[in-house]
Amino acid sequence: TTTPAGGALRGYRHGTRMVALTPPRASSSSSSSSSSPSVGIFYATGTGNTKRVANSLKVHFGTLADEPQPISASNARDFEPYDAIIFGAPSYLWEKHRVSALDYDTIEPPFENLRDLEGTKVAVFGVGDQSEYPKNFCDAVGILHEHFSLRGAEMVGMTENEGYEFKRSRALKQGKLCGLALDFENAGDEVAGRVEAWAEQLKREFG
């Protein structure tokens, strides 16, 4: 059995009330575009939280982003059309020192081109539980950051390590988080705001 080290869309229940995560979608007349989306969004999910965040990011990006796709149904060729890509994953603690990013654990670059993401900007988000797993909080963010860096991607989307209470995280690099770290369990009220702010940050960094 597996133990989730973190993240269950539109909104979720926090205490006794519903918290909205995904803002209302724009009407079809205002969101239609003849050009192809330049941003891809891919995710793995165990309980549904990363899928919710992926859908929320799509709404914030509008026609700039394609519809979010599960990484389990994708391969390296699916990354090729995009100038920028957002990847999301939860962290699952399989053993004491083995953290999984679920379906990302088996993805590899094409054999003939190990640096297939050169020239592509990549950002990573993840969900975790800093109270239950303070020594592995959002480790998957760090795992994906390292993986896509090795594939030649230009990594963007760093965030400040402020407002968190964890002991260790593979996502923490040189005093900053190498992506967006979210905690639905202990900081649910902050999720929507963090996602919106990060989306605006990425729009600037993606150019």
Side-chain angles (χ1 to χ4, degrees):
T1 60
T2 61
T3 303
L9 282 97
R10 295 291 179 187
Y12 64 98
R13 188 163 295 282
H14 181 70
T16 60
R17 58 193 178 86
M18 286 294 292
V19 178
L21 177 59
T22 304
R25 287 187 178 270
S27 64
S28 58
S29 60
S30 61
S31 62
S32 60
S33 173
S34 58
S35 60
S36 299
S38 61
V39 178
I41 304 175
F42 298 86
Y43 66 89
T45 191
T47 63
N49 281 334
T50 48
K51 181 178 180 180
R52 288 180 178 139
V53 176
N55 288 336
S56 180
L57 287 168
K58 160 59 182 170
V59 173
H60 285 300
F61 272 88
T63 57
L64 294 175
D66 215 340
E67 291 295 328
Q69 300 296 323
I71 196 67
S72 59
S74 308
N75 58 55
R77 304 297 182 195
D78 296 321
F79 305 156
E80 294 178 357
Y82 304 112
D83 299 322
I85 306 174
I86 302 170
F87 294 100
S91 299
Y92 269 68
L93 190 64
W94 292 80
E95 300 166 358
K96 185 176 181 180
H97 299 296
R98 179 176 170 236
V99 176
S100 167
L102 295 186
D103 300 310
Y104 286 96
D105 291 352
T106 57
I107 65 167
E108 297 291 343
F111 181 75
E112 70 277 8
N113 183 13
L114 299 180
R115 294 181 64 81
D116 61 316
L117 292 177
E118 284 188 340
T120 304
K121 293 184 178 181
V122 167
V124 177
F125 73 88
V127 295
D129 185 334
Q130 56 195 319
S131 177
E132 189 73 15
Y133 302 94
K135 297 181 180 180
N136 303 99
F137 177 61
C138 284
D139 272 0
V141 171
I143 292 171
L144 297 189
H145 184 276
E146 294 160 12
H147 173 85
F148 291 115
S149 293
L150 290 174
R151 291 174 67 164
E154 178 185 347
M155 303 303 297
V156 298
M158 300 281 285
T159 58
E160 297 295 334
N161 178 28
E162 298 176 354
Y164 298 96
E165 296 180 5
F166 60 87
K167 294 181 179 178
R168 290 196 297 271
S169 174
R170 196 164 166 180
L172 191 61
K173 300 183 184 299
Q174 299 180 335
K176 284 193 171 185
L177 294 165
C178 58
L180 178 63
L182 301 169
D183 186 343
F184 280 78
E185 301 302 321
N186 305 288
D189 287 344
E190 300 175 2
V191 170
R194 288 185 184 274
V195 170
E196 181 177 7
W198 195 59
E200 293 305 311
Q201 174 186 336
L202 291 185
K203 288 176 186 178
R204 297 190 299 270
E205 295 181 352
F206 286 167

